[in-house]
Amino acid sequence: MIKSWEDVRVYQPRITKLLTNSIEKKRLAHAYLFEGKKGTGKKDVGFLLAKSFFCDNLQQVSPCGECRNCKRIDSGNHPDVHVVEPDGLSIKKSQIQSLQEEFAKTGVESNKKLYILVHADKMTTNAANSLLKFLEEPHSNTIAILITEQYHRMLNTILSRCQLVSFQPLQPKAIEAAVMNQDISKHIASLVAQVTNDTEAAFGLARDDWFAQARMKVIKLYEVLINRKGQAPIYIHSEWMSHFQDKEKQETGLDLLLYLYKDLLTIQLGNEQQVIYSDMMQQLKQHALQMTQRSVTDKMTSILEAKRRLHANVNPQLLMEQLVLTLQEG
């Protein structure tokens, strides 16, 4: 969970600067449109902005996290913070009208109010027109935060009344730092940061026992391929297939194996600080000396080809048996 603007700065530095400057100068806009891909932190930043807006003990620009307002925003029951999400497939006119009625009332505890529209692009035409009237006549001390992954689907008249805040796709190092901030070990954080660029998905994977076991299965297969070549097909039959049971998990297994060989190439190219399986560094450095770059890239190509064939509905066990036979050559 994001607790301060320093947490946001790790992966959205430009947005952090924009919003913290506005908080510091008390010049927050009356309406923001947060747009960007899933998992880039839009909703978390929306709630952090809400806490900075309402906090009783603001620490420069970051909320204290301990006051009554901060705690109620965290628990989702602050009377002057309203969240609207699609009712079924869309946000309906009645939802916007209910919001307007709430905002017509005096603030329960202050004159401040804030609302967050999640998936704002899913408003019906009538809902969007109702919101437009709301945005055209903003109340003082009221902030609107519209969140979308597809802002091109929204009315230009709404876009023109909001300050556009574009969230950038997250870089692996930013996701790794965010995951490690949740007390997850570096070797797991480094790997989930390669598998997904969605922070929520990364947090989920990092805490998933299946994923941790998958990493160990992949390392064991790699070690069998290096040290006990003839036993690789037996390992696929006895341990691999029972863990990687469906196509999505099989693809994850191939990705994790690919990153091991990518680490070998990374070491050969002299970029050791970029190694993903950092807890295997000594072992990988030794193996990198024993293989040519051509051999490593050929093995990576074989794994990528296996991924392609997996989507062509080749029998997964046969595919893996053929792959390990190829990988243990040379």
Side-chain angles (χ1 to χ4, degrees):
M1 177 190 265
I2 291 173
K3 295 180 180 177
S4 72
W5 291 104
E6 282 306 309
D7 293 342
V8 181
R9 197 184 305 280
V10 172
Y11 54 91
Q12 296 292 356
R14 189 184 59 79
I15 287 169
T16 302
K17 185 176 181 181
L18 169 74
L19 294 177
T20 54
N21 282 347
S22 298
I23 294 166
E24 196 169 14
K25 294 173 182 175
K26 294 182 169 54
R27 291 181 185 170
L28 287 167
H30 77 274
Y32 291 98
L33 179 67
F34 289 0
E35 72 85 20
K37 290 184 177 179
K38 182 180 178 183
T40 47
K42 301 181 295 298
K43 194 172 179 181
D44 284 342
V45 171
F47 281 110
L48 182 62
L49 183 58
K51 287 196 285 186
S52 289
F53 188 49
F54 284 98
C55 181
D56 293 326
N57 303 302
L58 204 61
Q59 312 292 307
Q60 294 182 316
V61 294
S62 279
C64 68
E66 297 298 324
C67 71
R68 191 162 174 243
N69 281 329
C70 284
K71 286 185 174 179
R72 286 189 301 177
I73 291 170
D74 278 338
S75 63
N77 62 6
H78 194 291
D80 294 322
V81 176
H82 301 271
V83 180
V84 178
E85 303 198 52
D87 177 9
L89 296 176
S90 62
I91 295 174
K92 298 172 174 58
K93 182 179 179 180
S94 59
Q95 293 176 271
I96 301 300
Q97 287 175 329
S98 296
L99 188 67
Q100 288 170 319
E101 287 167 13
E102 281 293 330
F103 275 67
K105 301 171 187 173
T106 305
V108 174
E109 295 179 10
S110 71
N111 61 348
K112 295 180 178 180
K113 282 180 177 284
L114 181 145
Y115 63 95
I116 298 174
L117 258 65
V118 183
H119 297 301
D121 55 284
K122 294 185 178 178
M123 283 186 288
T124 63
T125 303
N126 286 337
N129 286 327
S130 287
L131 180 72
L132 184 58
K133 293 174 185 174
F134 206 18
L135 292 173
E136 284 172 338
E137 301 170 2
H139 295 73
S140 60
N141 277 327
T142 293
I143 296 178
I145 300 172
L146 281 59
I147 295 175
T148 178
E149 292 167 26
Q150 304 187 68
Y151 82 103
H152 57 277
R153 291 189 174 182
M154 297 178 62
L155 294 178
N156 286 332
T157 44
I158 286 181
L159 298 179
S160 67
R161 285 163 176 78
C162 297
Q163 181 171 342
L164 183 64
V165 181
S166 293
F167 284 65
Q168 299 304 308
L170 303 190
Q171 296 301 310
K173 283 294 178 188
I175 295 206
E176 181 183 323
V179 172
M180 287 178 67
N181 201 33
Q182 302 291 309
D183 295 325
I184 303 292
S185 65
K186 177 175 170 56
H187 63 267
I188 291 290
S190 298
L191 203 51
V192 296
Q194 300 297 320
V195 174
T196 180
N197 63 357
D198 177 335
T199 47
E200 288 306 313
F203 293 150
L205 275 177
R207 296 189 180 96
D208 187 345
D209 286 342
W210 180 88
F211 186 82
Q213 289 172 27
R215 182 181 186 275
M216 297 310 297
K217 297 279 184 193
V218 167
I219 290 172
K220 189 170 179 183
L221 173 61
Y222 171 78
E223 289 172 344
V224 168
L225 286 166
I226 296 289
N227 302 317
R228 294 176 284 148
K229 294 183 177 181
Q231 294 184 31
I234 298 169
Y235 179 78
I236 294 299
H237 178 73
S238 62
E239 293 195 44
W240 183 275
M241 295 309 301
S242 61
H243 192 72
F244 300 96
Q245 293 175 333
D246 58 43
K247 187 175 287 188
E248 185 179 345
K249 289 178 177 177
Q250 288 152 8
E251 183 169 12
T252 298
L254 287 170
D255 282 336
L256 302 191
L257 187 61
L258 179 66
Y259 299 140
L260 259 173
Y261 285 97
K262 184 181 176 184
D263 277 351
L264 290 173
L265 186 61
T266 298
I267 291 168
Q268 289 175 333
L269 295 173
N271 299 322
E272 289 179 14
Q273 71 280 5
Q274 294 177 20
V275 165
I276 300 161
Y277 289 85
S278 55
D279 55 331
M280 295 180 63
M281 181 68 81
Q282 292 308 312
Q283 196 176 346
L284 291 170
K285 283 170 77 171
Q286 182 184 343
H287 298 158
L289 290 171
Q290 295 167 355
M291 298 185 205
T292 63
Q293 286 184 25
R294 175 65 183 272
S295 171
V296 175
T297 54
D298 284 349
K299 292 178 193 303
M300 291 171 67
T301 301
S302 298
I303 297 169
L304 290 168
E305 174 62 16
K307 279 186 66 176
R308 186 192 67 77
R309 293 180 64 211
L310 183 65
H311 287 283
N313 291 322
V314 173
N315 178 285
Q317 180 159 334
L318 181 61
L319 181 146
M320 285 304 302
E321 288 172 353
Q322 290 173 339
L323 174 63
V324 296
L325 288 172
T326 303
L327 291 176
Q328 66 190 16
E329 294 171 0

